Amino acid sequence: MGKEVTAFAPASVSNVSCGFDIMGFALEGAGDTVTARLSTRPGVRIGSITGSRSALPADSSANTAGPPVIALLRECPSGTGVEIGIHKGIPVGGGIGSSAASAVAAVVAANALLGTNLPMERLLDLAIEGEKIASGSVHVDNLSPCLWGGFILVRGYNPIDIVRIRVPDSLWCAVISPQIEIKTEHARKILPQSVPLRDVITQTGNAAGLIAGMLTADLPLIGRSLCDVIAEPARAHLIPGFALMRESALAHGALGCGISGSGPALFALASSREDAGSVASAMGKVLAGMDCLYTTLVSRVGAKGACVIS
Ligand code: HSE
């Protein structure tokens, strides 16, 4: 045996404030790498996990990289097994699509390794099996930008309807990741199960405004629309310095700022690389003042999704 394929899948920002479970975009400069190897041992085995500060399950049914490949082998039986090596380039439970990136990189690598050539839409269905482990629910707002790249609107879930949204060339993003872990499953359990009609109206207006702003390159409209009245109020207390970081981002030129995914990362959009850099430093100063370790990333909306790299 010995044949192997390695795939890379990028980090991503999901929700984008007003698009809970329905919007996300890929980032540049961070992601997970997964190598899939043919094995004479049937089934799927995790051979190695590197690059993570947190302990991750080595059981293939409990690690988000495993179930997508298990489902692929079930759908396209090949008579061989697959061994997976995961290199984490994204903090686990950090809010920038760590579980999605492992799931997507694994299924893209295994699809190439086994020559199954499944289309992207099927790979998304399989990757969902991994994301379910992390969050206990089906949502594809990290998985889809991770797979396709760019900014994605999930127009619907039944069936899944993915729409790629053009973004203004001048748009940049600053991400700050405090070194604490928030489990998505927990961050979903604390959400309200029903919301007042006035909040639905506000959120719908903002979501429509954000998409219109992207398509017409109206940066002030994008900024006005980056407001979440549903998930963020329930989750903000989980993030140290959230209000101060947001305030500081806006004072240093951010168009808008919010929780990335289920946190603890925050993202801010800006109209130039320089502004995004200033915003990242300003948010960093807040966390430094609280003795909270963090990393920052300044990125465009990443045009590239997951790909085979060797
Ligand atoms: N939309 C998801 C949430 C993203 O906010 O729970 C986290 O994976």
Side-chain angles (χ1 to χ4, degrees):
M1 293 261 162
K3 188 182 167 200
E4 65 178 48
V5 171
T6 299
F8 173 83
S12 53
V13 169
S14 61
N15 296 340
V16 202
S17 292
C18 50
F20 179 74
D21 275 2
I22 62 161
M23 288 185 209
F25 61 87
L27 292 166
E28 290 174 343
D32 284 358
T33 307
V34 172
T35 298
R37 287 181 200 90
L38 286 183
S39 164
T40 46
R41 250 169 89 172
V44 177
R45 209 167 61 86
I46 308 241
S48 63
I49 306 173
T50 55
S52 176
R53 267 192 306 270
S54 321
L56 285 169
D59 170 359
S60 64
S61 60
N63 185 303
T64 64
V69 183
I70 294 169
L72 174 64
L73 278 178
R74 198 181 307 121
E75 184 166 320
C76 310
S78 75
T80 62
V82 175
E83 184 183 302
I84 295 171
I86 305 166
H87 181 72
K88 295 295 297 174
I90 308 178
V92 174
I96 51 170
S98 167
S99 50
S102 289
V104 166
V107 79
V108 167
N111 188 42
L113 177 77
L114 300 170
T116 37
N117 287 324
L118 293 182
M120 300 281 265
E121 290 73 13
R122 279 303 296 141
L123 295 183
L124 178 64
D125 290 339
L126 298 173
I128 287 172
E129 298 303 316
E131 186 73 302
K132 270 188 206 162
I133 289 183
S135 68
S137 64
V138 173
H139 59 92
V140 301
D141 48 337
N142 286 108
L143 290 171
S144 359
C146 180
L147 196 50
W148 275 278
F151 188 109
I152 301 281
L153 165 68
V154 186
R155 202 279 314 154
Y157 272 86
N158 192 20
I160 290 177
D161 186 359
I162 299 297
V163 185
R164 292 197 70 166
I165 303 293
R166 199 177 60 241
V167 301
D169 290 340
S170 58
L171 200 65
W172 281 79
C173 177
V175 175
I176 184 157
S177 302
Q179 272 186 26
I180 58 167
E181 188 175 336
I182 293 180
K183 293 202 182 310
T184 301
E185 193 163 10
H186 169 68
R188 293 180 79 84
K189 279 192 181 136
I190 60 173
L191 294 176
Q193 289 309 300
S194 59
V195 289
L197 181 59
R198 65 175 180 280
D199 288 346
V200 175
I201 293 167
T202 303
Q203 196 90 346
T204 312
N206 282 328
L210 182 57
I211 297 299
M214 292 291 179
L215 294 176
T216 58
D218 184 335
L219 298 180
L221 175 57
I222 290 172
R224 292 200 298 285
S225 305
L226 287 175
C227 174
D228 173 7
V229 295
I230 295 178
E232 199 161 281
R235 289 173 167 176
H237 71 278
L238 301 174
I239 302 171
F242 168 77
L244 279 177
M245 279 196 282
R246 189 168 185 278
E247 200 178 292
S248 190
L250 296 173
H252 286 81
L255 298 166
C257 173
I259 301 176
S260 175
S262 55
L266 260 64
F267 79 99
L269 295 182
S271 55
S272 68
R273 182 186 195 145
E274 292 67 37
D275 279 2
S278 309
V279 165
S281 311
M283 290 195 287
K285 278 190 188 135
V286 173
L287 286 187
M290 301 173 67
D291 288 330
C292 178
L293 297 177
Y294 64 92
T295 54
T296 59
L297 177 69
V298 171
S299 163
R300 284 188 184 280
V301 170
K304 279 175 70 176
C307 58
V308 169
I309 54 175
S310 69

